[in-house]
Amino acid sequence: MAPRNGASALTRPRIVDAAVALADEEGLRAVSMRRLAAQLGVEAMSIYHHVPNKAAILDAMTDRVFEGFHLPSTDGDWRVELHARADSIRTTLLRHRWGLELVDSRRSPGRATLAHHDAVIGCLRNAGCSLALTAHAFALLDAHHFGFVAQELRLPFEDGEALDPLAADIDANVPLAEFPHFAEFVTGVALRPGYAFGDEYGWGVELLLDELERRRAAEAPSTVAERDGTAP
């Protein structure tokens, strides 16, 4: 059978590009060999010459997400590097909303994924964090980054959305008089002009980095000894 138009130019990166575009437009469930073939103008079997199965495509898509995350420099200012990483994670996952389902869930991490984890660990270690503190920090930072975005994606409104309809819904459906603390928060914070839930992300990052700085400084001498092999 003669190849359909576009088959001769088919490459693995082009397949991944198509998978990412399809997921961006219709969600992760839309990604299938048949749909990708239609997108690329090829027979479905042509794709198998470049990727063995759908799992390999999902792994490659995960790596593409990690390519969007800032790769911390192990020689830079650790706080600046981790802040840039935090900002890029949120930006990337809001652009590829399906990415959160794949991040840290695949069993065959690609080079970009491994390089990213290695760089984060190296950044923390070179900043003077012990292995234990590095593990704590890595886990807690990612819990904030990924957990916040997961919550943000589930909210029934978008940052910057007009507040009047939301306020009307609350007035109609919530007995605010019975919940004074919630009422104070809604009227004093959430429904005030200019409030954006997304701004809480950066506040949380700063809080975590402040505490990490305190703990890093407290254990710095022992960490140097640990790395030099002179610790008791």
Side-chain angles (χ1 to χ4, degrees), residues 59-70:
D59 288 339
M61 292 171 68
T62 305
D63 229 31
R64 186 67 61 83
V65 170
F66 272 92
E67 288 174 2
F69 297 167
H70 173 72

Side-chain angles (χ1 to χ4, degrees), residues 209-223:
L209 294 183
D210 283 347
E211 179 60 18
L212 178 56
E213 165 62 26
R214 186 183 71 81
R215 297 193 177 220
R216 182 197 69 86
E219 70 171 23
S222 60
T223 303

Side-chain angles (χ1 to χ4, degrees), residues 144-166:
H144 172 69
H145 303 336
F146 300 143
F148 188 98
V149 174
Q151 182 180 10
E152 192 172 12
L153 291 174
R154 289 194 298 265
L155 289 176
F157 58 86
E158 300 282 345
D159 277 351
E161 184 178 328
L163 298 179
D164 290 345
L166 183 59

